[in-house]
Amino acid sequence: MSKNYDELKTYLDRYQAIRAALTLFSFDSDTYAPDDAFEMTTQITTILSKEAFDILTSPSVKALVKQCKTENLQPIESKNVLEVEKRLEQLSSIPADEYRASQILEKRSQAAWLEAKKKGDFSIFAPYLKEMIETQKRFASYRQKPGQSLYEVVLDDYEPGMTEASYDDFFGQVKEGIVPLIHKISALHKERPNFLKLSYDLNQQKQFNEWLASYIGFDLKRGKISETEHPYTTSLHNHDVRFTNHYYENQMDSAIFSTIHEGGHGIYEQQVDDTISLTLAGGAISSGMHESQSRFMENCIGRSKDFWEPIYPKLQNLFSKQLNEVSLDDFVKGINDARCSLIRTEADELTYPLHILIRYELEKKMFEEEIDVNDLPKLWDDLYEKYLGIRPDHISQGILQDIHWSSGMFGYFPTYALGSAIACQIYHYLMENEPLTSWLKNGELHHLTAWLKEHIHRFGGTKSTAEILKDALNENFEPKYYVDYLVKKYSALYDLE
Amino acid sequence: MSKNYDELKTYLDRYQAIRAALTLFSFDSDTYAPDDAFEMTTQITTILSKEAFDILTSPSVKALVKQCKTENLQPIESKNVLEVEKRLEQLSSIPADEYRASQILEKRSQAAWLEAKKKGDFSIFAPYLKEMIETQKRFASYRQKPGQSLYEVVLDDYEPGMTEASYDDFFGQVKEGIVPLIHKISALHKERPNFLKLSYDLNQQKQFNEWLASYIGFDLKRGKISETEHPYTTSLHNHDVRFTNHYYENQMDSAIFSTIHEGGHGIYEQQVDDTISLTLAGGAISSGMHESQSRFMENCIGRSKDFWEPIYPKLQNLFSKQLNEVSLDDFVKGINDARCSLIRTEADELTYPLHILIRYELEKKMFEEEIDVNDLPKLWDDLYEKYLGIRPDHISQGILQDIHWSSGMFGYFPTYALGSAIACQIYHYLMENEPLTSWLKNGELHHLTAWLKEHIHRFGGTKSTAEILKDALNENFEPKYYVDYLVKKYSALYDLE
């Protein structure tokens, strides 16, 4: 037992408690709070954010971290100390007045983005985007390490350990393996299956999705499902994990795959070990690792025939009018329908990584070249044409579609594709080494969630992505499984072999 | 502008922000949080409670309050300083270890009360009640002023300015005026009207109550209505006020009068001025004043014929099967049905104050005599027999019915009756001096809420109850209006004149 660590922990506990309050305020604003509450509530959350910041960056915390680093701590304790140190480095590298200015910029920039998107007018957002890129590049320069590119600084924030070279290699393989396949499928000009265009009662959809969440292993005693325009997952701790969904009458598959996707995130959060849940290392390791769990459940599992074999009759029964004539095979083909589209969040499993590739290439440009922000919309459109063969008619379907850049989140997008790739590596391992097929066909998903808990979830942020993969799969990250999986799966689905 | 006050305000803002977070956690736990979240969430809220306590009782705050008291501040600033000083006095009077022990006692005592109530076994709760009474008496003794009785110390916490002598006078008038009237009405042996026993569709009830809340002036853009077993009102600030309701199929009147009661509390909170909403003086003046607003709306307004005249057709229309044959007069008689009953929270307007009188007499005994807690159940039952002519069959309907004493809330009950009395004084004033009858008959409740805002609500806690009454009604608190109102109203309803 270290006296210094114990003292540090009282600060971290206070920090975590205020962070949890902020999480709850945010969730409540999204799902329940009255319409006109926002302005006053923002006064409260602004104070709480500052409070959390002040606790973490206090001289006492800095001194205690320094002390703790010289001591022999338990592994989890060491991990927490390293985590504080990392956040302190990030925060302390930015002068206080610049940090405050960046927070104001963020709010204005988000508002400008929203207005620009609504009005379809990039010029409203352009000056903010310019300032946001400059600010984030400057902030990155304050903590740039020797040999590190500016872009690598932010890439590392979201996926520690991934270098630009590894991402270049990864996206290179994706481009080489997937683009030709997509072009072949596009050339078939297949229609979107009819059953996906029919109308499905919203209450019945909700009923099925609630059951489905539970079926895949999301514990409804430790979690809740609510509704927002854009589905997401949030958690106060491992006993209180909440995700949201959105139900569309004419897109029954949308809510189903949001349930499995957000459920995948949620199960991860729920299965973090009790002893670390309320610590800094209580979350997931990284954005990529978190996304790997949602994409694994959504795509590798949730879009497989094995998964639907035991439960498709239930869905068919509930919506007999719409699905009576649709065989299991047709259903599985339908939910794996691939086609080039403009909106990332609506993209299918196959074309999705190209949306990310485009953003990755643009972010590299922003960080490594002197570009004029006014050129970005055309660059965006050209890349969509190049990789996906389509061009946005409207800027809100082009560069203005995502909120990320307006919030200064550069380097985040690549983790979405990385997550998909890790998912496929895990899937490959399980198919080779565990009876995954029979778990799915027998509806015994608890075997799967138990495996995920044992090898991935329970560690929360105490192990790095590389450590997780090494310990669980006995391998380093390897992009080839992703490309192999997509090529094999879609060649079969579209009879391209 | 005072530099000291500005600095004090940064502490108070932080204190208020954390208090708001605790309010949100509490509401969320009651209405939404998953079943198994409680234990982990309690770890978070315990830390936040301590954080708020530490900010308020920090040496800096104490020094700043001292400084500010010597300065010439704005009235609202002065009020906030006095409010901090008062809370500091309360908190600092109790040694830290005793305070911590009392918090542990409170949790155990509440759990014991719940178990005792469930099992119908007072002996489970008795030792905790004994310790709770002793603790609260000791705490009161630490801040007892010369000439003040121990009970007066806690009475003053909930209704500053009310002495034991004023309460004695008040309850004396209630007893003298109401008890004989209740005995007369009981002797009539009237049946509960049939329409109140019928079944009413829950969704239609919710629909009507949502409309009703809005009709009486509760702003649904700044407020929400949720569901809990026991209805209550809470607020984060004047733009986010939430109340809860409970719908019973066979007790349609229950949800309606909860809506009007909680709506009365809610409108008060919503109409506090923006400039003070997020300060210590942003709440209501006192428990009694808050309760006056809910009881005024519920009883004086919501149970009057004037109120229902324009809106009864709407209710009748919605529930035509149940209410077609029920005239407006019969409906109004029905919702004013008075009968002696055992449970305070279900009591009608007329018998309600006797439930409070009984608790007042018992609390006086606890604070001023050396009593054996084991004698309390019998004392309770005897008082119910004496004043209401009925005796509980079961202890859960007797002394174990309320949570208050298990939480150490002695001195709170009297404010419920006080609130009813203030309500009647306001009602009398409005009937004499404003066109209240026509506001109600014409469905123009905005005139009423505007009056309440102008004379009561907007001041929040910046004016005392006495100041409010003096400025708004040009009178001091005067219990006779309450007794007069009840005697006149119920003599007419039961043809006793």
Side-chain angles (χ1 to χ4, degrees):
Chain A
M1 291 294 285
S2 150
K3 234 188 100 194
N4 285 317
Y5 183 78
D6 286 348
E7 202 184 331
L8 176 63
K9 195 164 179 304
T10 63
Y11 286 92
L12 301 184
D13 286 348
R14 289 164 57 207
Y15 173 78
Q16 286 291 111
I18 294 171
R19 297 296 313 168
L22 285 163
T23 302
L24 183 60
F25 268 112
S26 167
F27 177 80
D28 182 75
S29 288
D30 290 342
T31 56
Y32 191 76
D35 291 350
D36 290 356
F38 187 71
E39 206 178 312
M40 281 277 197
T41 298
T42 301
Q43 292 186 40
I44 294 170
T45 52
T46 304
I47 293 168
L48 291 177
S49 297
K50 184 172 179 307
E51 191 78 6
F53 178 88
D54 288 348
I55 292 171
L56 201 66
T57 56
S58 69
S60 314
V61 167
K62 286 177 187 163
L64 286 164
V65 165
K66 218 169 171 180
Q67 284 296 326
C68 284
K69 288 206 65 177
T70 66
E71 294 180 16
N72 218 343
L73 301 176
Q74 299 292 318
I76 291 177
E77 295 172 348
S78 294
K79 183 69 200 173
N80 271 316
V81 172
L82 286 175
E83 192 61 40
V84 191
E85 196 185 23
K86 189 179 153 189
R87 294 198 197 186
L88 277 177
E89 259 173 35
Q90 282 178 15
L91 293 170
S92 330
S93 68
I94 304 166
D97 55 336
E98 290 191 33
Y99 183 77
R100 270 194 300 278
S102 78
Q103 290 194 305
I104 294 164
L105 171 64
E106 191 182 321
K107 270 185 194 140
R108 293 195 181 143
S109 163
Q110 281 182 3
W113 164 75
L114 203 65
E115 197 193 337
K117 188 176 175 178
K118 269 187 197 152
K119 296 190 176 161
D121 180 357
F122 184 72
S123 73
I124 297 169
F125 179 48
Y128 293 96
L129 178 58
K130 182 170 187 289
E131 203 180 333
M132 193 51 103
I133 296 170
E134 282 163 5
T135 304
Q136 293 301 325
K137 282 168 76 171
R138 195 171 65 249
F139 286 0
S141 76
Y142 295 151
R143 53 201 175 90
Q144 191 174 20
K145 297 204 175 76
Q148 206 182 21
S149 76
L150 272 189
Y151 188 35
E152 239 161 11
V153 177
V154 296
L155 286 173
D156 192 76
D157 285 344
Y158 299 108
E159 190 56 48
M162 276 297 280
T163 60
E164 211 171 325
S166 5
Y167 271 123
D168 282 345
D169 171 47
F170 168 52
F171 282 114
Q173 292 192 40
V174 166
K175 189 155 48 172
E176 197 182 329
I178 308 303
V179 174
L181 179 62
I182 288 176
H183 289 170
K184 268 190 235 169
I185 290 174
S186 291
L188 298 175
H189 297 295
K190 286 225 176 180
E191 279 275 319
R192 185 166 157 83
N194 191 54
F195 77 90
L196 289 176
K197 302 177 199 159
L198 301 177
S199 164
Y200 293 76
D201 178 74
L202 292 176
N203 280 326
Q204 283 181 303
Q205 282 197 48
K206 283 179 203 174
Q207 183 193 326
F208 181 78
N209 277 284
E210 177 116 346
W211 172 84
L212 183 63
S214 193
Y215 176 77
I216 64 170
F218 183 75
D219 182 349
L220 288 166
K221 280 197 173 166
R222 293 172 161 212
K224 297 284 278 193
I225 306 169
S226 193
E227 283 182 62
T228 53
E229 200 188 330
H230 298 289
Y232 72 89
T233 303
T234 191
S235 90
L236 298 176
H237 45 68
N238 65 344
H239 282 58
D240 190 339
V241 180
R242 303 166 184 208
F243 76 77
T244 66
N245 209 334
H246 194 130
Y247 304 91
Y248 300 93
E249 206 177 306
N250 295 303
Q251 269 172 271
M252 160 271 265
D253 54 332
S254 169
I256 285 181
F257 291 101
S258 289
T259 294
I260 310 181
H261 181 100
E262 303 306 333
H265 282 304
I267 293 165
Y268 192 171
E269 296 278 349
Q270 288 184 331
Q271 296 206 116
V272 168
D273 200 83
D274 274 359
T275 54
I276 55 169
S277 174
L278 288 173
T279 73
L280 280 184
I285 306 149
S286 64
S287 308
M289 202 65 211
H290 223 312
E291 196 68 12
S292 81
Q293 296 307 291
S294 55
R295 305 250 161 198
F296 172 75
M297 289 305 286
E298 177 192 349
N299 293 329
C300 306
I301 301 299
R303 294 186 198 271
S304 73
K305 187 175 168 187
D306 295 344
F307 175 78
W308 283 100
E309 204 172 286
I311 66 171
Y312 181 58
K314 188 182 168 78
L315 184 69
Q316 214 174 11
N317 206 33
L318 191 64
F319 297 111
S320 53
K321 210 178 65 194
Q322 298 93 331
L323 298 176
N324 232 354
E325 308 282 292
V326 182
S327 71
L328 174 61
D329 278 323
D330 289 342
F331 177 76
V332 172
K333 273 194 185 175
I335 59 174
N336 284 292
D337 177 64
R339 58 191 60 246
C340 295
S341 63
L342 292 165
I343 306 294
R344 176 185 61 83
T345 55
E346 293 164 13
D348 54 78
E349 183 183 10
L350 179 65
T351 57
Y352 190 87
L354 299 190
H355 292 263
I356 302 304
L357 167 65
I358 291 166
R359 286 154 179 80
Y360 176 71
E361 293 192 356
L362 287 174
E363 286 187 347
K364 278 184 72 155
K365 263 194 209 303
M366 294 179 208
F367 270 69
E368 288 165 12
E369 298 172 24
E370 285 304 319
I371 52 149
D372 183 340
V373 286
N374 296 305
D375 295 337
L376 281 170
K378 187 175 177 300
L379 286 172
W380 177 286
D381 295 354
D382 290 347
L383 286 169
Y384 265 80
E385 184 141 24
K386 178 175 166 194
Y387 294 132
L388 290 159
I390 46 174
R391 224 182 153 82
D393 284 332
H394 196 276
I395 190 128
S396 67
Q397 298 185 311
I399 194 171
L400 289 180
Q401 67 181 266
D402 295 310
I403 194 176
H404 302 57
W405 291 342
S406 74
S407 319
M409 289 169 79
F410 301 96
Y412 190 97
F413 282 124
T415 67
Y416 289 134
L418 184 70
S420 301
I422 295 171
C424 290
Q425 189 166 355
I426 295 168
Y427 184 66
H428 179 267
Y429 175 88
L430 288 173
M431 290 298 276
E432 294 286 312
N433 298 284
E434 300 284 349
L436 178 59
T437 305
S438 88
W439 293 346
L440 297 178
K441 288 193 176 201
N442 296 327
E444 293 168 338
L445 271 81
H446 59 278
H447 291 306
L448 175 58
T449 43
W451 189 92
L452 293 170
K453 178 176 183 172
E454 177 64 21
H455 296 92
I456 301 175
H457 298 174
R458 68 189 173 100
F459 302 111
T462 60
K463 281 168 80 170
S464 70
T465 302
E467 285 166 342
I468 287 279
L469 295 180
K470 196 79 200 162
D471 293 349
L473 316 181
N474 203 24
E475 260 190 330
N476 294 321
F477 170 58
E478 176 49 76
K480 76 162 190 258
Y481 294 110
Y482 184 34
V483 178
D484 288 353
Y485 162 92
L486 289 175
V487 170
K488 194 176 152 206
K489 175 173 177 178
Y490 282 87
S491 300
L493 281 164
Y494 284 86
D495 301 315
L496 297 172
E497 280 151 315
Chain B
M1 291 293 285
S2 150
K3 234 188 99 193
N4 285 317
Y5 182 78
D6 286 348
E7 202 185 330
L8 176 63
K9 193 162 180 307
T10 64
Y11 286 92
L12 301 185
D13 285 347
R14 290 165 57 207
Y15 173 77
Q16 286 291 111
I18 295 171
R19 297 297 313 169
L22 286 164
T23 301
L24 183 60
F25 268 112
S26 168
F27 177 79
D28 182 76
S29 288
D30 289 342
T31 57
Y32 190 77
D35 291 349
D36 290 355
F38 186 72
E39 207 177 312
M40 282 277 198
T41 298
T42 302
Q43 291 186 41
I44 295 169
T45 51
T46 304
I47 293 168
L48 292 177
S49 297
K50 185 174 178 305
E51 192 77 6
F53 178 87
D54 288 348
I55 292 171
L56 201 67
T57 57
S58 69
S60 315
V61 167
K62 285 177 188 162
L64 286 164
V65 165
K66 217 171 172 179
Q67 283 297 326
C68 285
K69 288 206 66 178
T70 65
E71 294 179 18
N72 217 344
L73 301 176
Q74 300 292 319
I76 291 178
E77 295 173 347
S78 294
K79 182 68 202 174
N80 271 316
V81 172
L82 286 176
E83 192 60 40
V84 191
E85 195 185 25
K86 189 178 153 189
R87 294 198 197 186
L88 277 177
E89 259 174 32
Q90 281 178 12
L91 292 170
S92 329
S93 68
I94 304 166
D97 56 336
E98 289 190 34
Y99 184 76
R100 270 194 300 278
S102 78
Q103 290 194 306
I104 295 164
L105 171 64
E106 190 182 320
K107 271 187 190 135
R108 292 195 181 142
S109 164
Q110 281 182 3
W113 165 75
L114 202 64
E115 197 194 336
K117 189 176 174 178
K118 269 186 196 153
K119 296 189 176 161
D121 180 357
F122 183 73
S123 73
I124 297 169
F125 179 49
Y128 293 95
L129 178 57
K130 183 171 187 290
E131 204 179 332
M132 193 51 103
I133 296 169
E134 282 162 7
T135 303
Q136 293 301 326
K137 282 169 76 171
R138 195 172 65 248
F139 286 1
S141 75
Y142 295 152
R143 53 201 175 90
Q144 191 174 19
K145 296 203 176 79
Q148 206 182 22
S149 76
L150 272 189
Y151 188 35
E152 240 161 8
V153 177
V154 296
L155 285 174
D156 193 76
D157 285 344
Y158 299 107
E159 190 57 50
M162 276 295 282
T163 61
E164 211 173 324
S166 4
Y167 271 124
D168 282 345
D169 170 47
F170 169 52
F171 282 114
Q173 292 192 39
V174 165
K175 190 156 48 172
E176 199 183 328
I178 307 303
V179 174
L181 178 63
I182 289 175
H183 288 172
K184 267 190 236 169
I185 290 174
S186 291
L188 298 175
H189 296 295
K190 286 224 176 182
E191 279 274 318
R192 185 164 156 83
N194 191 54
F195 78 88
L196 289 176
K197 303 176 199 158
L198 300 177
S199 164
Y200 294 76
D201 178 74
L202 291 177
N203 281 325
Q204 283 180 302
Q205 281 197 48
K206 283 179 204 174
Q207 184 193 323
F208 181 79
N209 277 284
E210 178 116 347
W211 172 84
L212 182 63
S214 194
Y215 176 77
I216 63 169
F218 183 75
D219 182 349
L220 287 166
K221 279 198 173 165
R222 293 172 161 213
K224 298 284 278 192
I225 306 169
S226 193
E227 284 182 61
T228 53
E229 199 189 330
H230 299 288
Y232 72 89
T233 303
T234 190
S235 90
L236 298 176
H237 45 67
N238 64 344
H239 282 56
D240 191 339
V241 180
R242 303 165 184 208
F243 76 76
T244 65
N245 208 335
H246 193 131
Y247 305 90
Y248 300 93
E249 207 176 307
N250 295 302
Q251 269 172 269
M252 160 270 263
D253 54 333
S254 169
I256 286 180
F257 291 100
S258 289
T259 294
I260 310 180
H261 181 99
E262 303 305 334
H265 282 305
I267 293 165
Y268 191 171
E269 297 277 350
Q270 288 184 332
Q271 297 206 117
V272 167
D273 199 83
D274 274 359
T275 55
I276 54 169
S277 174
L278 288 173
T279 73
L280 280 185
I285 307 149
S286 65
S287 309
M289 202 65 211
H290 223 313
E291 196 68 12
S292 81
Q293 296 306 291
S294 56
R295 305 249 161 199
F296 171 75
M297 289 306 285
E298 179 193 348
N299 293 330
C300 305
I301 301 300
R303 294 186 198 270
S304 73
K305 188 176 167 188
D306 295 344
F307 175 77
W308 283 100
E309 204 172 284
I311 65 171
Y312 181 58
K314 188 182 168 79
L315 184 70
Q316 213 174 13
N317 206 32
L318 191 65
F319 297 111
S320 54
K321 210 179 64 194
Q322 298 94 329
L323 297 177
N324 233 354
E325 308 281 293
V326 182
S327 71
L328 174 60
D329 277 325
D330 288 343
F331 177 75
V332 172
K333 274 194 184 172
I335 59 174
N336 284 292
D337 178 64
R339 58 189 62 246
C340 294
S341 63
L342 292 166
I343 306 294
R344 175 184 62 83
T345 55
E346 294 165 13
D348 53 78
E349 183 183 11
L350 178 66
T351 57
Y352 191 87
L354 299 190
H355 292 264
I356 302 305
L357 167 66
I358 291 166
R359 286 154 179 80
Y360 177 71
E361 292 193 357
L362 286 174
E363 287 187 346
K364 279 183 71 156
K365 263 192 208 303
M366 295 179 206
F367 270 68
E368 288 165 12
E369 298 173 24
E370 285 304 319
I371 53 150
D372 183 339
V373 286
N374 295 306
D375 295 337
L376 281 170
K378 188 176 175 298
L379 285 172
W380 176 286
D381 295 354
D382 289 346
L383 285 169
Y384 265 80
E385 185 142 21
K386 178 175 166 193
Y387 293 131
L388 291 159
I390 47 175
R391 225 181 152 84
D393 284 332
H394 196 277
I395 189 127
S396 68
Q397 298 185 310
I399 193 170
L400 290 180
Q401 67 180 266
D402 295 309
I403 195 177
H404 301 58
W405 291 342
S406 74
S407 318
M409 288 170 80
F410 300 96
Y412 190 96
F413 281 124
T415 67
Y416 288 133
L418 184 69
S420 302
I422 295 172
C424 291
Q425 188 166 355
I426 295 167
Y427 184 66
H428 179 266
Y429 175 88
L430 288 173
M431 289 298 275
E432 296 285 312
N433 298 283
E434 300 284 349
L436 178 59
T437 305
S438 88
W439 292 346
L440 298 178
K441 286 191 178 202
N442 295 328
E444 293 168 337
L445 272 81
H446 58 278
H447 292 306
L448 175 58
T449 44
W451 189 93
L452 293 170
K453 179 177 184 172
E454 176 64 21
H455 295 93
I456 301 175
H457 297 173
R458 68 188 173 101
F459 301 109
T462 59
K463 281 168 80 170
S464 70
T465 302
E467 285 166 343
I468 288 279
L469 295 181
K470 195 79 200 158
D471 293 349
L473 316 181
N474 203 22
E475 260 190 331
N476 295 321
F477 169 58
E478 177 50 75
K480 75 162 190 261
Y481 294 109
Y482 184 34
V483 178
D484 287 353
Y485 163 90
L486 289 174
V487 170
K488 193 175 152 208
K489 175 171 177 178
Y490 282 88
S491 300
L493 281 164
Y494 284 86
D495 302 316
L496 295 173
E497 279 151 314

